[in-house]
Amino acid sequence: MGLREDLLKSIWHAFTALDVDKSGKVSKSQLKVLSHNLCTVLNVPHDPVALEEHFKDDDEGPVSNQGYMPYLNKFILDKVQDNFNGLDFNRMCWTLCARKNLTKNTLLISDDDAFKIWCIFNFLTEDKYPLTLVTEEIEYLLRKLTEAMGGSWIEEKFEDYKIQLNAKQQCLSVWEVIELIGTGHFSKGMDRQTLSMGINEVFQELILDVLKQGYMMKKGHKRKNWTERWFVLKPNVLSYFVNENLTEKKGHVMLDSSCCVESLPDKEGKKCLFLIKCAGKSFEISASDKKKKQEWIQAIQTAVNLLRQGLPAPHKEARQKRKELRQKLQAEQEALEQRMKELQTANESKQRELETLRRKLEEDAANAAEEERRRQQTQTELHDRYMTDLEREKMVRQQMEEEVAQKSSELEQYLQRVRELEDMYHRLEESLEDERQARQDEETVRKLQARLLEEEATKRAELELLHLQQQKAISRTEAEKQELEQQRIVKEEALQAAMLQLEQLESERKGALEQYEEVMKKLENAANKTRSWKDKVAQHEGLIRLIQPGSKGPQLITNWGAAAFTEAELNLREKSWQEKKNSATQ
């Protein structure tokens, strides 16, 4: 909330007090006096020419508060600076309005206490005219006042009062608030002095921005003596006075973001010491006990933190938060009311639609009755026609049953034929599996025969190598003939052993060949069985097509019988044997 809004609240009270007949109009002479007094207390230079020009005597001159606002904004409020005494300004406006509205007979508080409540009211109320205090702010003020007096807050009592208040106007004017507090409705059991002290404490916190106050000992800068002072902490300054009446100020400590407060150990017979460091100066202070010391350190540190963060006093920030919360709740309430109106409008629209629908249903019912009469007549005609069609339908149905019986017999024959084909298909699969197994056996025998032939070729190559070595040995010197003869005998023995091995391999090859012939017989039997099944399938309209075994190429015949390898493989083996022979000869 800005300075202009705060000033306008107090000026509104003064203007309202001058509006005797509550018509919103004030005489020009009274407005001139009010303007002159405002310029005086706000330290704004007077402009008599502009004042007389604005309030000149003609019928078009502004005499209402709306007409007074342009002059007030342009010649007074726009020129206001923060160089005036706010209490003097509020006191001047209070003097104008209290004389007319304040009733002193039933109040337990003094005029000064009523003035303080008036200032607190202006602080807590929103800038909506006429100025009133909402229920939440009333509860906040009474709670603060009760805590300041050292009493306990009774929630149930305020809830009862809140119900009564909501039943009337849900808010109070400043004079109703003064009467509520001044009559002691929420401070029963408290004397006048306690009530006055509580009002003063709340006034100092909310209006004078006093964060903390109390007696402490301060060490002098020159004489270094300890003197008891009354300290008053505000967000940007710590002032100290001779006593709590604040009549004689002895000095102050200007706080800024660079200030800090530190705890000190006890010394010089003083306890509970702490030090305030500011730019170029420091202050040693002694509190009465450790609790007070900690409270003062925390309060001063809070003030410094507020200066560093650029935040207002805690009670102003709390007031702003409460205001934002009320605005949010009000917006939600308005949205809810708007939604209820929309739902009500929609409900009325639905009611009209239902009424229209009801009339339409009545018309439809009348039409339905007429339609029913016609339907009954039509139904009689249709019944006669139906009986005729029923007889015809019976004849058709009998014919259909005969056709269905015939089709069922044909379907049963077809299903029997399908089952026979499925059985034949399963047998054919078994024959193909037997043929596949025979081919695998044939492949195994062929691999065995190929291995035996490879071993036979290896032995032959070794024999050829031994023969070549013998020829070389014979062509050498006769002196080595005897030795070569002995070697020849040894090699012939080795050759005989190799021939025995070769004969053994030949017998194994013959056994493998017999196995191969047996497998071939099995394969031929399986092929014959497959061919017989193929003929049977061909007789049943060619539903199944047999898989024919692949054609076999011409087999090679060796001196040991049918070979298990192709001509290309034989050429490779012959080429390899020739290369080994040439290498042995060299």
Side-chain angles (χ1 to χ4, degrees):
M1 185 181 297
L3 177 61
R4 181 185 294 265
E5 287 75 13
D6 290 338
L7 296 177
L8 280 175
K9 289 180 180 180
S10 300
I11 296 172
W12 178 83
H13 286 293
F15 186 92
T16 306
L18 296 176
D19 183 13
V20 180
D21 55 355
K22 300 184 182 301
S23 62
K25 296 182 179 181
V26 179
S27 64
K28 297 179 182 180
S29 59
Q30 289 178 321
L31 290 179
K32 290 179 181 179
V33 174
L34 176 62
S35 302
H36 186 275
N37 291 334
L38 289 176
C39 291
T40 302
V41 296
L42 294 175
N43 293 329
V44 175
H46 294 179
D47 191 351
V49 177
L51 185 65
E52 292 296 333
E53 180 67 22
H54 191 79
F55 295 108
K56 62 184 178 180
D57 295 330
D58 57 17
D59 295 336
E60 296 179 358
V63 293
S64 65
N65 56 349
Q66 288 85 1
Y68 181 56
M69 283 301 297
Y71 174 81
L72 182 64
N73 287 322
K74 182 176 180 182
F75 294 99
I76 298 179
L77 296 182
D78 289 348
K79 299 179 181 180
V80 172
Q81 298 180 359
D82 195 9
N83 60 348
F84 65 94
N85 191 317
L87 287 179
D88 292 342
F89 169 76
N90 287 326
R91 184 73 68 176
M92 187 270 293
C93 296
W94 161 258
T95 303
L96 291 175
C97 62
R99 188 180 308 163
K100 174 185 175 183
N101 299 286
L102 186 63
T103 57
K104 305 179 182 179
N105 298 331
T106 58
L107 298 182
L108 303 177
I109 59 176
S110 62
D111 290 348
D112 187 60
D113 292 336
F115 165 69
K116 293 176 180 178
I117 296 174
W118 182 80
C119 294
I120 295 171
F121 174 89
N122 291 338
F123 172 77
L124 294 178
T125 188
E126 298 182 4
D127 50 345
K128 295 180 180 180
Y129 300 92
L131 296 176
T132 55
L133 200 62
V134 297
T135 308
E136 292 82 2
E137 297 298 332
I138 296 173
E139 180 181 3
Y140 172 79
L141 173 58
L142 294 176
R143 190 187 292 271
K144 292 284 290 186
L145 186 59
T146 304
E147 293 174 356
M149 292 187 297
S152 58
W153 176 252
I154 304 175
E155 189 72 31
E156 295 78 7
K157 186 176 181 180
F158 181 78
E159 288 296 329
D160 295 338
Y161 176 76
K162 187 176 179 181
I163 293 173
Q164 299 175 4
L165 185 62
N166 291 338
K168 296 179 181 179
Q169 69 268 26
Q170 299 184 354
C171 56
L172 296 178
S173 66
V174 62
W175 313 113
E176 291 172 334
V177 173
I178 293 174
E179 183 179 0
L180 177 66
I181 298 175
T183 55
H185 184 72
F186 285 92
S187 59
K188 291 182 179 180
M190 302 286 183
D191 54 16
R192 294 191 177 191
Q193 185 179 1
T194 303
L195 179 59
S196 178
M197 291 176 62
I199 294 172
N200 184 58
E201 183 175 338
V202 177
F203 174 79
Q204 289 185 351
E205 178 183 352
L206 299 183
I207 305 304
L208 301 182
D209 293 339
V210 175
L211 301 180
K212 190 171 179 59
Q213 56 184 346
Y215 280 109
M216 290 190 296
M217 301 293 292
K218 175 185 172 296
K219 185 177 182 181
H221 289 292
K222 295 181 180 180
R223 298 174 60 184
K224 306 298 181 181
N225 60 331
W226 291 88
T227 309
E228 187 178 46
R229 299 297 184 206
W230 178 263
F231 285 84
V232 177
L233 175 63
K234 293 186 178 182
N236 61 344
V237 63
L238 176 64
S239 304
Y240 49 95
F241 302 83
V242 174
N243 52 44
E244 57 187 288
N245 295 329
L246 309 180
T247 55
E248 185 179 353
K249 184 176 180 180
K250 301 300 291 183
H252 62 271
V253 180
M254 294 303 299
L255 302 178
D256 55 29
S257 59
S258 62
C259 294
C260 64
V261 56
E262 299 177 358
S263 177
L264 295 178
D266 300 341
K267 63 179 180 178
E268 300 176 4
K270 297 295 179 182
K271 298 182 179 180
C272 304
L273 297 174
F274 62 92
L275 178 68
I276 302 176
K277 290 183 179 180
C278 294
K281 203 171 186 180
S282 60
F283 300 84
E284 291 187 27
I285 300 175
S286 173
S288 59
D289 52 44
K290 292 183 178 179
K291 181 180 178 182
K292 294 290 185 183
K293 170 186 173 181
Q294 189 61 33
E295 289 176 355
W296 274 101
I297 290 176
Q298 186 174 358
I300 296 172
Q301 190 62 49
T302 300
V304 173
N305 291 336
L306 291 175
L307 291 173
R308 289 174 181 171
Q309 299 174 9
L311 298 176
H315 61 275
K316 292 183 178 179
E317 186 176 2
R319 178 189 62 177
Q320 184 63 26
K321 289 182 178 179
R322 294 196 303 273
K323 179 180 178 181
E324 292 174 356
L325 180 60
R326 283 197 302 273
Q327 291 175 350
K328 181 180 179 181
L329 293 176
Q330 184 178 0
E332 292 177 354
Q333 182 67 23
E334 291 176 355
L336 181 59
E337 292 177 357
Q338 181 65 26
R339 179 60 180 166
M340 291 298 294
K341 289 180 181 179
E342 293 176 357
L343 290 176
Q344 185 176 1
T345 304
N347 188 26
E348 292 175 355
S349 177
K350 289 292 184 182
Q351 290 291 342
R352 290 192 295 270
E353 292 179 1
L354 289 174
E355 184 64 23
T356 304
L357 183 60
R358 186 184 62 80
R359 289 194 294 267
K360 185 177 180 181
L361 287 175
E362 291 176 354
E363 295 176 358
D364 291 344
N367 295 333
E370 180 64 22
E371 187 68 25
E372 179 66 18
R373 186 185 63 79
R374 295 176 182 175
R375 188 184 65 78
Q376 290 290 343
Q377 183 179 358
T378 306
Q379 186 176 8
T380 304
E381 297 175 356
L382 290 176
H383 179 70
D384 297 337
R385 190 183 304 171
Y386 172 74
M387 295 305 294
T388 305
D389 293 340
L390 184 61
E391 293 297 331
R392 188 184 303 112
E393 182 68 23
K394 286 182 179 180
M395 296 176 63
V396 173
R397 181 177 179 181
Q398 187 175 1
Q399 295 176 0
M400 293 283 292
E401 289 177 352
E402 293 176 357
E403 293 180 1
V404 167
Q406 183 179 358
K407 294 293 183 181
S408 298
S409 176
E410 294 178 357
L411 179 61
E412 185 64 29
Q413 294 177 2
Y414 176 76
L415 292 176
Q416 181 65 28
R417 184 178 175 186
V418 169
R419 285 193 290 270
E420 292 176 357
L421 290 174
E422 289 179 350
D423 186 28
M424 191 180 299
Y425 176 76
H426 291 316
R427 293 180 183 179
L428 181 59
E429 282 185 342
E430 292 176 358
S431 300
L432 290 174
E433 184 63 28
D434 293 341
E435 182 180 357
R436 199 177 297 114
Q437 185 63 36
R439 286 182 177 278
Q440 290 179 358
D441 295 343
E442 178 187 1
E443 182 67 19
T444 302
V445 173
R446 189 188 65 80
K447 289 181 180 179
L448 179 60
Q449 186 178 9
R451 183 174 60 80
L452 294 175
L453 289 175
E454 185 176 355
E455 291 178 357
E456 179 182 355
T458 302
K459 291 297 182 178
R460 286 182 178 278
E462 291 177 358
L463 291 174
E464 290 293 337
L465 182 60
L466 290 173
H467 181 71
L468 290 174
Q469 289 176 357
Q470 287 179 358
Q471 292 296 329
K472 287 182 179 180
I474 293 172
S475 61
R476 292 179 180 176
T477 60
E478 290 293 331
E480 299 173 347
K481 183 176 181 181
Q482 187 66 30
E483 184 179 357
L484 291 174
E485 184 66 22
Q486 293 177 357
Q487 292 179 358
R488 184 183 63 79
I489 295 171
V490 173
K491 290 180 180 180
E492 283 179 356
E493 291 176 353
L495 181 61
Q496 290 176 0
M499 290 297 293
L500 291 175
Q501 291 180 2
L502 185 60
E503 288 174 359
Q504 184 179 358
L505 290 173
E506 179 67 20
S507 63
E508 290 177 358
R509 188 187 66 80
K510 287 180 179 179
L513 184 60
E514 290 174 357
Q515 293 178 3
Y516 172 75
E517 289 175 355
E518 184 179 355
V519 169
M520 287 299 295
K521 288 179 180 180
K522 289 181 180 181
L523 184 60
E524 186 176 358
N525 294 333
N528 292 333
K529 189 184 293 185
T530 302
R531 195 174 298 111
S532 63
W533 281 109
K534 179 179 177 183
D535 295 338
K536 290 180 180 181
V537 171
Q539 292 175 4
H540 287 80
E541 301 179 1
L543 295 178
I544 299 176
R545 187 174 183 181
L546 293 176
I547 301 173
Q548 297 289 341
S551 60
K552 297 182 178 292
Q555 294 183 345
L556 297 178
I557 302 299
T558 63
N559 53 347
W560 292 284
F565 46 84
T566 62
E567 185 177 1
E569 292 177 346
L570 181 61
N571 292 334
L572 288 175
R573 291 176 183 273
E574 183 178 2
K575 184 178 180 180
S576 175
W577 177 80
Q578 189 66 33
E579 288 175 355
K580 290 181 180 179
K581 182 178 179 181
N582 294 336
S583 60
T585 305
Q586 293 175 358

